[in-house]
Amino acid sequence: MEITLVEGDITEQRVDAVVNAANSALLGGGGVDGAIHRRGGPRVLAACRELRATVLPDGLPAGQAVATTAGDLPATWVVHTVGPVHSTREDRSAVLAACHRNSLRVAADLGARTVAFPAISTGVYGWPVDSAAQIAVRAVRAVAAQDASTTVGEVRFVLFGREAYQAFARALG
Ligand code: AR6
């Protein structure tokens, strides 16, 4: 499993699966979630509503992941995950790692070969980007080392802005 870094807009990536930093309601929001729903169009929202009406009546808990169509995005699926809100009182890094692990599992169950991730939790949810980058890279490397059955050959972190890109470049080493 190769890890690559791109500075840019995740909604422009031609990949099998795009990971969305959603919220538990799964009905859209700001940041990358807003961008994905805008570019993905009504089919993405309809699929999220369907999940809420059936298997996820209480929404998607933080750390878990679920897939929908990617609608009008140049991708096949959107994998929605919910990052943890950063806290100084409690260490929630295991939840952030779980977002990456579970998103990759959902993507592999669909047969995805290329998966794009944003810097989950580093916007509205307030996670310092250097710390988030280390947790994200470590979590992906753990899957690469441990999950022999994964179909995913490339994990592409798509970073919005220079600062986030450099944080992930440092984390990759
Ligand atoms: N492509 C790539 N990265 C992006 C894009 C984009 N088009 N737009 C923003 N980012 P955030 P969170 C970066 O706030 O912190 C939403 O309202 C952004 O610069 O999108 O997990 C949800 O509905 C930052 O580095 O996600 C939730 O309520 C990163 O994506 C809440 O925000 C994540 O920032 C989730 O907060």
Side-chain angles (χ1 to χ4, degrees), residues 8-10 21-23 28-33 35 118-125 158 160:
D9 183 344
I10 202 167
N23 58 63
V32 71
D33 192 11
I120 298 167
S121 286
T122 65
V124 173
Y125 285 177
V158 182
F160 215 49

Side-chain angles (χ1 to χ4, degrees), residues 10-11 18-20 32-41 44 73 78:
I10 202 167
T11 67
V18 166
V19 177
N20 181 20
V32 71
D33 192 11
I36 284 172
H37 275 276
R38 261 194 312 279
R39 274 293 290 274
V44 178
L73 287 161
V78 173

